[in-house]
Amino acid sequence: MQIQDLPYPDPGVPDARSGSRFLWWLFRNQLGGQLKSLAWGLLHFLSVSALPLCVGVAVQAVVDHSGRRLALAGGLLALCCLGSALGDTFLHRTAVTNWITAAARVQQLLAHKAANLGSALTRRVAAGEVVAVSTGDVEKIGWFVEAWSRFTAAAVTVVVVCAGLVVYQPALGVVVAVGLPVLALAALPLLPRATRRADFQREKAGRATELASDTVAGLRVLRGIGGEELFLDRYRRASQEVRHAAVRSARMWSLIAAIQVLLPGLLLIAVVWYGVHLARQGRVEIGELVAVYSSVMILTYPLRHFEEIAMAYSFSRPSATRAARVLSLERATSAEGSGDRGRDGDGPPGGDLYDPATGLLAPSGRLTAVVCGDPDAAGLLAERLGGHPADQGTSVLLGGVPLDELPLDAARTAVLVQDKDPVLLSGTLRELLDVPASGDVGAEEALAAAQCADVLAALVQGSLDAEDPMDARITERGRSLSGGQRQRLALARSLFTDPEVLVLDEPTSAVDSHTEARIAQGIRDLRAGRTTVVFTSSPLLLDHADRVVLVHEGEVVAVGVHRELVRKEPRYRAVVTRETDEEAASDGVPIDRQVPGKEDALHKRDVVREQGALNERDLLHELEEIEESA
């Protein structure tokens, strides 16, 4: 695999049982690139290590006044230089290729996993951790995969040179052969402590990053309550903890680096001292002493890769563990392998949307409103309707076909879920609406139905040289917009997509009542003939629904229309009108004894509470007058 061939057609199925297994799986899947890097690394390191031998032969030729051997040494020296240059060039090329392709493979795997899990991913793993894995961690993982072949080449070179020195000059070669393994393994006892300190530093850095992200996200609120200095002090303390942890980690790695410098120096001193002693006895030629000394000095270069592979593993192991933890997550489906099986017929099925777990039925082509007293339960149910259940259970049925048995892309095309906190990506409004769509709904229609006129004006005003609202820039996560404006843009994007089934979780919770009433009518008109499910407790939306379903403690307990349920179902009325226990007791008379006109009064109370137009005393007074007149 070359860089120009990325992305991978199929990144494969990773072994995510542990971080070490995941690294080994990456290595096996790049075996071709690793062998190329190993070959070029051997050429480079062996050529460099052979230079001292050429120098030793040349020195001895000068001492012996041998022109023929001097010319031979010169030719060998030129050949080694050529091999070193060629090997270094292609070693760098293959090593970078291995690094980038390994990182790209991990990023593709993470992207596929995020697409497969959908919003369930951030409920099971923190969003910051997913971002950290897909950015910084993939580089560390790629570093280890790339460094392994160079380390292997360096280790083979050290073994070959030691064996060659023993053959070339046994007396000095034995000293080198004994000393070099000691140099290579001297830092091993320090690696566990260095790894622990590096992990502690990353933990502190992650905490500081999370705190900074939360502070930036809530800056507007912090300014409103005067909490800026409080959070600033917290970030200062967190950043100082990061600094102290980084210094402690750097001290340990500097100690390891110092050992890698000190011990080779001591070995050089020992070789020179012993070599001079042997030369005085006539047991070693001058050229042989120069060759052995130069070999030991040159071998410090491949020995550096022992330190590098130790650092690469200590940094990549926790990164690989985090990546494996994300990649090991699976969709909560009722059967193994579901979500990937095909289905007879073309395209996703049509028909009613039915959840066997709760008994919720959303008839095809109608607007169904779902009232749930627990917002968290409503969010989980909305995700479940979209085929992203948080827990194992029976699959939701679309037209009688389980969503889990549909190919993932078909299920996503058939059912679109907009959660209560939708994300707006930075870019232009045109790019925001550049999503897969049916083509039956235009951008202008979707924006009009979501009541985005004032949002478009605000975007144009805040963008330079953007006369067309579609070219107006949206900042990261739409931070320059209010909550209601972000909500309406996200709703317009969902309406523009025009899926067969659209599930909206509290789509108007941040807008005023007048705008909400117009949005309710816009959704009803634009989604006519399409299946729409809205999770809401707003009377303005509920009154526009064809069918209202009350879900209580995980089960459907009432079905009807808004005004009927307000009159007949106390639990529904308690959720929608937010009435107190005393009000519920006064309103909880039998249906056959209810006063004529009271249903309309209750509905009016419902609406005006939402709009904030009347207070509780006026409402109670109106109800009393109706009962007295009856």
Side-chain angles (χ1 to χ4, degrees):
M1 172 64 70
Q2 299 297 319
I3 296 177
Q4 61 265 25
D5 298 327
L6 294 174
Y8 288 94
D10 179 14
V13 180
D15 186 350
R17 289 177 290 177
S18 67
S20 300
R21 290 177 182 271
F22 180 59
L23 290 174
W24 173 242
W25 177 84
L26 282 175
F27 178 82
R28 287 189 290 108
N29 277 270
Q30 294 190 219
L31 189 58
Q34 296 291 339
L35 292 176
K36 289 180 182 179
S37 184
L38 175 61
W40 292 115
L42 286 174
L43 176 62
H44 172 63
F45 288 129
L46 290 175
S47 298
V48 171
S49 301
L51 291 174
L53 177 61
C54 299
V55 173
V57 172
V59 170
Q60 192 61 41
V62 171
V63 172
D64 296 339
H65 303 285
S66 174
R68 185 177 61 83
R69 281 190 293 165
L70 183 61
L72 177 62
L76 291 175
L77 190 63
L79 187 62
C80 289
C81 289
L82 178 61
S84 174
L86 189 64
D88 189 28
T89 299
F90 285 94
L91 172 62
H92 178 75
R93 182 185 181 91
T94 54
V96 171
T97 300
N98 288 337
W99 189 337
I100 294 178
T101 51
R105 186 187 295 272
V106 177
Q107 284 184 323
Q108 279 189 252
L109 291 170
L110 292 170
H112 289 180
K113 181 60 65 174
N116 182 272
L117 294 176
S119 60
L121 175 62
T122 53
R123 290 202 302 266
R124 300 162 72 178
V125 180
E129 182 173 351
V130 178
V131 174
V133 171
S134 60
T135 54
D137 285 340
V138 296
E139 294 186 4
K140 297 182 179 68
I141 294 171
W143 177 27
F144 176 75
V145 173
E146 171 268 327
W148 181 258
S149 57
R150 290 190 289 112
F151 161 73
T152 305
V156 171
T157 300
V158 170
V159 173
V160 170
V161 170
C162 288
L165 288 178
V166 171
V167 174
Y168 177 69
Q169 176 44 252
L172 291 176
V174 171
V175 176
V176 176
V178 172
L180 282 179
V182 175
L183 297 184
L185 303 177
L188 284 181
L190 300 177
L191 288 180
R193 181 177 297 181
T195 302
R196 288 194 298 269
R197 291 190 179 185
D199 291 344
F200 183 74
Q201 176 195 349
R202 283 190 290 272
E203 178 184 346
K204 291 296 182 181
R207 171 58 184 158
T209 302
E210 180 181 352
L211 184 60
S213 177
D214 291 343
T215 303
V216 172
L219 188 58
R220 182 180 299 178
V221 177
L222 291 176
R223 286 175 176 172
I225 63 177
E228 297 165 277
E229 287 299 325
L230 174 63
F231 272 77
L232 182 60
D233 290 340
R234 289 182 181 177
Y235 181 74
R236 283 172 178 163
R237 290 195 298 270
S239 63
Q240 288 302 312
E241 291 177 358
V242 174
R243 185 177 66 84
H244 290 310
V247 169
R248 293 183 71 247
S249 178
R251 285 174 180 169
M252 186 57 62
W253 288 111
S254 63
L255 177 60
I256 293 175
I259 291 175
Q260 295 293 322
V261 174
L262 176 63
L263 294 184
L266 294 177
L267 180 60
L268 280 174
I269 293 174
V271 168
V272 171
W273 179 82
Y274 187 55
V276 170
H277 176 71
L278 294 178
R280 287 178 177 176
Q281 296 178 353
R283 297 169 56 187
V284 175
E285 299 289 341
I286 297 298
E288 294 175 338
L289 177 59
V290 171
V292 174
Y293 168 80
S294 301
S295 296
V296 175
M297 186 172 62
I298 288 293
L299 282 178
T300 57
Y301 169 53
L303 281 175
R304 287 286 182 179
H305 290 78
F306 286 75
E307 176 190 354
E308 183 191 10
I309 196 64
M311 292 183 64
Y313 180 73
S314 65
F315 279 94
S316 65
R317 182 186 54 79
S319 297
T321 301
R322 285 193 291 268
R325 183 164 58 247
V326 175
L327 294 175
S328 63
L329 299 176
E330 297 293 341
R331 295 179 67 199
T333 56
S334 57
E336 184 178 356
S338 60
D340 297 322
R341 296 191 294 269
R343 186 184 65 89
D344 295 335
D346 296 330
D352 300 341
L353 184 68
Y354 177 67
D355 179 23
T358 60
L360 173 62
L361 173 65
S364 175
R366 301 180 67 185
L367 174 58
T368 302
V370 181
V371 177
C372 187
D374 185 356
D376 293 334
L380 294 176
L381 180 54
E383 293 295 336
R384 180 179 173 80
L385 293 178
H388 315 295
D391 302 311
Q392 294 282 353
T394 306
S395 173
V396 171
L397 305 179
L398 177 60
V401 178
L403 280 181
D404 291 342
E405 293 186 1
L406 292 175
L408 190 58
D409 55 349
R412 297 281 171 83
T413 302
V415 184
L416 173 65
V417 178
Q418 177 182 306
D419 59 25
K420 59 172 59 69
D421 188 22
V423 175
L424 299 182
L425 302 178
S426 60
T428 64
L429 181 57
R430 194 183 309 279
E431 293 171 340
L432 178 70
L433 298 179
D434 185 17
V435 294
S438 67
D440 295 334
V441 177
E444 295 78 7
E445 296 176 275
L447 291 168
Q451 300 299 312
C452 294
D454 62 316
V455 184
L456 300 181
L459 288 175
V460 172
Q461 185 178 4
S463 300
L464 298 177
D465 302 328
E467 298 179 359
D468 187 351
M470 298 299 291
D471 296 326
R473 298 287 302 180
I474 299 174
T475 57
E476 180 187 2
R477 299 182 69 90
R479 298 191 190 280
S480 61
L481 302 173
S482 67
Q485 290 174 329
R486 291 196 298 268
Q487 200 171 55
R488 281 179 281 164
L489 281 180
L491 176 60
R493 178 178 57 188
S494 299
L495 294 174
F496 174 71
T497 303
D498 190 36
E500 181 66 30
V501 179
L502 177 60
V503 180
L504 303 172
D505 187 6
E506 295 289 352
T508 58
S509 59
V511 302
D512 62 86
S513 57
H514 299 288
T515 305
E516 185 178 31
R518 294 193 294 269
I519 290 176
Q521 186 62 48
I523 293 176
R524 182 179 179 85
D525 294 341
L526 196 63
R527 292 289 300 172
R530 293 287 204 180
T531 306
T532 307
V533 181
V534 181
F535 286 80
T536 183
S537 60
S538 167
L540 297 174
L541 280 174
L542 294 170
D543 201 37
H544 283 80
D546 299 315
R547 174 186 173 94
V548 179
V549 179
L550 173 63
V551 177
H552 181 68
E553 295 183 354
E555 294 183 357
V556 172
V557 295
V559 178
V561 294
H562 170 60
R563 296 195 179 198
E564 178 186 355
L565 291 176
V566 167
R567 181 169 58 88
K568 295 181 178 180
E569 179 55 60
R571 289 173 294 186
Y572 177 84
R573 187 165 58 248
V575 174
V576 173
T577 64
R578 285 90 164 173
E579 67 181 2
T580 63
D581 294 338
E582 292 79 6
E583 293 171 332
S586 64
D587 293 337
V589 295
I591 298 175
D592 56 356
R593 295 181 53 195
Q594 288 196 0
V595 178
K598 189 174 182 180
E599 175 189 347
D600 292 335
L602 288 172
H603 176 63
K604 183 177 180 181
R605 181 188 68 179
D606 189 1
V607 175
V608 297
R609 273 187 177 178
E610 191 71 24
Q611 296 176 340
L614 296 178
N615 57 36
E616 184 69 18
R617 183 176 56 188
D618 296 332
L619 293 167
L620 292 176
H621 180 68
E622 183 176 356
L623 288 171
E624 289 173 359
E625 288 180 347
I626 294 174
E627 292 178 354
E628 289 175 0
S629 63

